Amino acid sequence: MKDEDAVRHLQQSDNYRVLERLNPPARYLNGEPATARIGLVVDTETTGLDTTADTIIELGFVAFSYDAGSGRIYEVLHNYDGFEDPGAPLSDVVKQLTGISDAMVAGQRLDDAEIETWLKKADLLIAHNAAFDRPMLERRLPLAAEKNWACTFCDINWDAEGIASRKLDYIACRLGYFFDGHRAVVDAQATLHLLTRAMPISGRAAMALLLENAREQRCRLFAVGAPFEKKDDLKARGYRWLADVSVADRFGKSKKGVWSTAVAGADISAEEQWLQATVYDGKPAVFVRRDIPPRDRYSVREFLPEAVSR
């Protein structure tokens, strides 16, 4: 039995689910986009999880053309993958997680000229965890700070599509393919591929959903002086504790550490009402808001205390 016949036979049964190995195509759609844009899907491997101190040891990206109106993805324009020597031995944890050895990075350096050429061309940068990849990339290549970013982890409502985990390999399996990880460019290719797929419930392409959510007005709310006993409510609501951010309370006194969350523009009023009723029990409170420009999303600038206005 030919492979195609075997696949067709299995797909006719409810007892099996067929996964296809990802073989990244050079082109997803023929023709040219009506409103052409260039996107870069980026992925980094690093010496650790501290975006202020750890360094990139591998960077991969895929440049592609897409239509800004429909979100349809057309052609893969360029692939890049490069190592960089951090100047110190990698930890055993990093070696195990990434599959990268000291020998692989020894004497290596990212090709700044090649990377910056495509950063300049890009209209949008995309990562599966932009809150991590963006700060890491901006520290290494400041040009990345000038770009709009989107996040496949946060800017697609996977729960609404019946996909319970946001891990990239799990999403890929739910969307019908698998890939061999451990290389940054492979993860970038896998992320681009998911953006071309139809969602299991809405039927819409993931890229269209990503663009729609990335274009929404967003602001960041800071729950200043929230009572300690409300931490579980805030955490369950999706707030993060920002230990190094200082904002002023209602008496004008600066307080270090604050609970914060990003909110879509249409939900700001409802979120403030929830804070007032649930966190502050109707007592006087200060809600600090900061509108998030597209170029600041997922950047450390989103959290800068001097950028916060009352």
Side-chain angles (χ1 to χ4, degrees), residues 228-247:
F228 176 79
E229 61 270 18
K230 299 295 184 178
K231 63 181 178 62
D232 290 337
D233 292 314
L234 288 158
K235 192 180 298 185
R237 186 81 170 180
Y239 283 72
R240 291 172 52 197
W241 176 250
L242 306 178
D244 295 326
V245 171
S246 297
V247 290

Side-chain angles (χ1 to χ4, degrees), residues 48-288:
L49 300 178
D50 186 344
T51 58
T52 66
D54 287 309
T55 59
I56 294 173
I57 55 175
E58 184 184 24
L59 171 66
F61 71 78
V62 181
F64 64 97
S65 63
Y66 69 96
D67 180 68
S70 66
R72 291 190 180 94
I73 293 170
Y74 283 76
E75 183 182 5
V76 174
L77 304 172
H78 190 71
N79 290 280
Y80 173 84
D81 192 71
F83 292 113
E84 183 146 281
D85 191 337
L90 302 176
S91 70
D92 290 339
V93 172
V94 168
K95 292 176 183 177
Q96 183 176 3
L97 287 176
T98 66
I100 298 173
S101 67
D102 290 315
M104 293 166 70
V105 298
Q108 298 294 311
R109 183 169 176 80
L110 298 176
D111 189 332
D112 289 29
E114 183 176 353
I115 299 167
E116 289 181 351
T117 294
W118 286 98
L119 283 176
K120 290 175 182 177
K121 293 180 180 181
D123 299 286
L124 179 67
L125 269 61
I126 301 168
H128 191 60
N129 184 6
F132 178 80
D133 289 298
R134 177 167 193 169
M136 295 299 300
L137 192 58
E138 284 188 2
R139 283 178 49 228
R140 178 60 182 78
L141 294 157
L143 181 60
E146 302 175 13
K147 297 299 178 178
N148 295 333
W149 282 70
C151 179
T152 50
F153 188 93
C154 294
D155 290 330
I156 296 174
N157 189 343
W158 297 109
D159 291 335
E161 298 294 345
I163 297 178
S165 172
R166 298 186 183 192
K167 291 188 64 176
L168 182 59
D169 55 357
Y170 180 84
I171 294 171
C173 287
R174 288 298 310 274
L175 297 181
Y177 67 98
F178 69 97
F179 61 98
D180 299 320
H182 291 319
R183 289 283 64 78
V185 70
V186 174
D187 286 351
Q189 291 166 339
T191 302
L192 175 61
H193 198 67
L194 77 80
L195 289 171
T196 69
R197 309 293 275 197
M199 294 293 96
I201 293 179
S202 70
R204 299 182 63 193
M207 183 65 172
L209 294 174
L210 179 85
L211 292 175
E212 186 176 285
N213 289 322
R215 289 165 179 160
E216 276 191 340
Q217 178 194 354
R218 292 286 181 94
C219 89
R220 180 157 288 281
L221 283 177
F222 298 82
V224 182
F228 176 79
E229 61 270 18
K230 299 295 184 178
K231 63 181 178 62
D232 290 337
D233 292 314
L234 288 158
K235 192 180 298 185
R237 186 81 170 180
Y239 283 72
R240 291 172 52 197
W241 176 250
L242 306 178
D244 295 326
V245 171
S246 297
V247 290
D249 64 15
R250 63 193 181 94
F251 301 107
K253 184 177 180 181
S254 180
K255 287 183 171 290
K256 190 169 185 179
V258 65
W259 288 96
S260 179
T261 192
V263 184
D267 300 326
I268 294 171
S269 178
E271 192 64 26
E272 290 184 342
Q273 291 175 23
W274 179 85
L275 280 169
Q276 184 72 59
T278 306
V279 175
Y280 299 102
D281 295 326
K283 298 174 184 177
V286 174
F287 305 134
V288 178

